[in-house]
Amino acid sequence: MTRALRQQRLPILAVVACALMAAAIASIAYVAPVDANQGLSQKIFYFHVPIALTAYAFFAWGAWKALRVLWKRDEAADLESYVAIHQGVIFGVLTLVTGSIWAKISWGVWWAWSSNQLVLFLVLFLFYAAYFMLRYSVDPGPQRANLCAVYALFGVALIPVSFLAIRLANDFIHPTVFTSNGPQMSGRMFFAFCLSWAAMLALAASLYHVELAGKRLDSRLRELREVLAR
Amino acid sequence: MTASEKYVAAAYAFVFVVVLLYVLIIATKLARLEREVAELTELARERRVAEPERKAVAVG
Amino acid sequence: MSYLADVGALARKDLLLELRSRDTLPAMLLFVLSSFVVFHFVLPTGTDRLAAQGLLWVAIVFTALLGLARAFSAEREQSVLDGLVLATRDLSAIWFGKALSILAFLALAEVVALPVFGLFFGRVELRTVAAVALADLGIAAVGTLLAGMAAASRARELLLPLLFLPLVIPLVIGGVGATVADHPSSYLGLLALYDAVFGLVAWGSFAYVVAE
């Protein structure tokens, strides 16, 4: 039973992701009330924040797999770490774009340096884009796995330190104009938010497994070709 | 549509388009993998035809 | 004790090598001075004082980058690194020694550069000096590790700035904050935190960068 479940993990995950996403979109549209202050534009929040949180989850997952590369000499973990960071960067770009659109509605500008989250994601984007540069300029092998794993571990140290630094930076670059009003979500808003976060995580997990399966298939085929060419 | 409706729609549409783009990339990759598998199957079949008399021989 | 002896020997080797060949330090000095001259012409009249304080940090980061790009070049050209990896008991000693020598180059370059900066753009305050000293520690710690990474890649000099700049953004923020903000203490705290966190991570992970 568990074995069958394991083999069918990806289709099940995809079905769950579809169902959750449909429910999330419906509840964003019909259950969550229109925000009293920001109006309709606040609805971006239900996608923007879950996407950002999912990107963090990917970076953390990538770092965890990187730790396993260094610690347990787990060779499969190298590919998993790479795929997780790859997905994290995609979600990071989505965060930047949806955040930028939200900034345009709320503050009338496409980019706001005073938005800590956006600036942090820009820094992380640059950092993890360099990860790909590193990965593609080293020949595949145990050394590349090590280098990439060390770099991925630096990422999880960088996230909190940068967050702190960027918060501090707002004080001297310019005083905070847009104060974020804390979590004043009503029950129905919170419900829609949680549902949408769950949907995003399920979507992310299925994309991760699809990408991983593709990459593994690719390397198996390469092996097969080598065996047949002999 | 008001301006804010447009922007909200744009944000959601962008996420949707990126996911679609991802499906497109995976589809291209799948097509390539399929082609490669076909090629390798062909190669394996040719091998079988070319050397059918090859048998397991004790080495050494 | 033997660990510290290894570190000392490795750092001394780099400093002696530099004393003989004079490759890195003169280049760093010349670079930092010429960037000050460029800054003068970049800054419109009236914006000098405050803006220059920020640009000082640009100069420091890029000067460090110049030195770091050459950090492992001697080892690479003579393929000494493999020998070092075999000979050193604890591989992190290689990182420690190299970071100390980088720190020494950076400090020497700044001993000249900071007074000159003061001469050109107005007084350098004590808190700036403290911030520079703290930032140097972080730059040397992180930079040495990344230089080791870049040396192992095909892209080498091209890769180092890409890896280095996003990682030192917190240092730049802390440095500029400590230089211009009303209450520099929290920024100095940030710099110290960065040094501690990334120093530990770099020290712990360097062995994996050079070993298979």
Side-chain angles (χ1 to χ4, degrees):
Chain A
M1 181 63 204
T2 47
R3 196 185 151 79
L5 260 182
R6 274 187 87 84
Q7 281 171 352
Q8 294 298 312
R9 184 169 53 184
L10 187 50
I12 293 172
L13 208 55
V15 168
V16 170
C18 275
L20 277 175
M21 193 54 85
I25 290 173
S27 69
I28 291 165
Y30 300 111
V31 178
V34 173
D35 188 80
N37 296 321
Q38 294 192 47
L40 193 69
S41 65
Q42 185 260 350
K43 299 241 173 186
I44 290 180
F45 162 88
Y46 299 111
F47 254 37
H48 171 69
V49 177
I51 288 174
L53 293 174
T54 309
Y56 284 133
F58 268 131
F59 294 141
W61 187 249
W64 162 246
K65 288 293 180 185
L67 198 63
R68 295 205 35 109
V69 170
L70 299 181
W71 187 22
K72 303 265 181 180
R73 315 282 348 147
D74 181 355
E75 280 176 24
D78 175 49
L79 189 66
E80 287 165 346
S81 171
Y82 162 66
V83 168
I85 286 170
H86 184 202
Q87 300 290 313
V89 169
I90 294 175
F91 276 76
V93 170
L94 283 177
T95 309
L96 282 175
V97 173
T98 51
S100 175
I101 292 173
W102 199 5
K104 176 66 182 165
I105 313 176
S106 315
W107 309 320
V109 285
W110 287 106
W111 183 257
W113 284 108
S114 57
S115 168
N116 296 336
Q117 285 293 329
L118 279 185
V119 178
L120 178 58
F121 264 93
L122 189 61
V123 172
L124 288 181
F125 173 74
L126 292 174
F127 177 83
Y128 283 109
Y131 174 89
F132 296 118
M133 299 288 291
L134 174 69
R135 197 172 171 91
Y136 288 115
S137 75
V138 183
D139 294 323
Q143 198 188 14
R144 183 174 83 168
N146 279 349
L147 291 180
C148 291
V150 169
Y151 196 73
L153 282 180
F154 266 81
V156 279
L158 182 69
I159 292 173
V161 173
S162 294
F163 182 70
L164 195 68
I166 290 163
R167 277 189 70 145
L168 279 173
N170 264 347
D171 297 343
F172 70 83
I173 292 178
H174 42 70
T176 312
V177 182
F178 316 110
T179 51
S180 57
N181 41 346
Q184 297 165 331
M185 277 189 278
S186 70
R188 285 192 296 167
M189 279 178 167
F190 189 65
F191 170 76
F193 169 73
C194 286
L195 197 57
S196 146
W197 189 14
M200 207 53 82
L201 281 177
L203 174 70
S206 12
L207 290 180
Y208 169 76
H209 283 291
V210 167
E211 182 81 13
L212 205 55
K215 286 266 194 297
R216 280 187 184 142
L217 199 56
D218 215 13
S219 68
R220 291 264 160 80
L221 274 181
R222 206 169 301 139
E223 266 173 50
L224 187 60
R225 191 180 287 275
E226 275 165 21
V227 169
L228 278 177
R230 234 173 262 153
Chain B
M1 260 166 81
T2 64
S4 79
E5 274 170 0
K6 270 183 201 155
Y7 283 123
V8 172
Y12 279 79
F14 182 79
V15 175
F16 184 64
V17 166
V18 167
V19 174
L20 277 190
L21 209 65
Y22 195 80
V23 172
L24 192 77
I25 289 168
I26 290 292
T28 341
K29 186 173 185 169
L30 206 58
R32 180 173 61 81
L33 289 176
E34 197 192 355
R35 212 165 48 236
E36 273 181 38
V37 170
E39 211 176 289
L40 286 176
T41 318
E42 197 56 39
L43 200 66
R45 191 173 292 144
E46 275 170 24
R47 277 268 180 110
R48 289 263 312 257
V49 173
E51 23 189 300
E53 69 279 8
R54 184 193 258 190
K55 289 190 185 91
V57 187
V59 183
Chain C
M1 206 52 231
S2 64
Y3 182 75
L4 286 183
D6 281 1
V7 170
L10 285 163
R12 204 166 51 238
K13 173 210 65 157
D14 284 339
L15 295 178
L16 274 176
L17 213 61
E18 175 62 24
L19 209 60
R20 296 226 182 100
S21 65
R22 298 195 185 83
D23 273 344
T24 311
L25 195 56
M28 285 167 83
L29 272 175
L30 206 56
F31 177 80
V32 75
L33 295 183
S34 29
S35 58
F36 287 162
V37 177
V38 171
F39 289 167
H40 168 72
F41 293 105
V42 164
L43 297 169
T45 334
T47 58
D48 283 32
R49 179 79 183 83
L50 204 57
Q53 299 284 336
L55 284 178
L56 170 66
W57 288 90
V58 177
I60 288 173
V61 167
F62 283 98
T63 307
L65 208 47
L66 201 68
L68 286 168
R70 297 198 50 88
F72 282 98
S73 63
E75 276 85 350
R76 209 179 56 217
E77 280 160 19
Q78 321 284 337
S79 45
V80 177
L81 205 54
D82 297 334
L84 278 182
V85 168
L86 288 176
T88 318
R89 270 152 293 192
D90 187 337
L91 291 180
S92 65
I94 300 176
W95 169 81
F96 214 138
K98 186 63 81 179
L100 280 183
S101 66
I102 291 287
L103 188 64
F105 292 160
L106 209 51
L108 284 173
E110 279 154 0
V111 163
V112 178
L114 281 179
V116 174
F117 181 84
L119 189 73
F120 287 172
F121 298 103
R123 226 158 59 84
V124 176
E125 288 170 57
L126 191 63
R127 59 184 185 169
T128 310
V129 178
V132 169
L134 278 173
D136 282 356
L137 293 177
I139 288 174
V142 170
T144 305
L145 184 113
L146 295 181
M149 269 188 186
S153 74
R154 262 176 276 121
R156 279 173 193 156
E157 287 79 10
L158 193 65
L159 192 61
L160 183 62
L162 300 178
L163 301 176
F164 183 70
L165 288 180
L167 259 174
V168 294
I169 284 175
L171 278 181
V172 172
I173 291 172
V176 177
T179 312
V180 302
D182 296 332
H183 304 289
S185 56
S186 58
Y187 295 98
L188 292 174
L190 174 71
L191 289 174
L193 177 78
Y194 184 97
D195 294 347
V197 169
F198 283 94
L200 271 177
V201 176
W203 176 71
S205 61
F206 185 77
Y208 297 105
V209 171
V210 284
E212 290 270 308

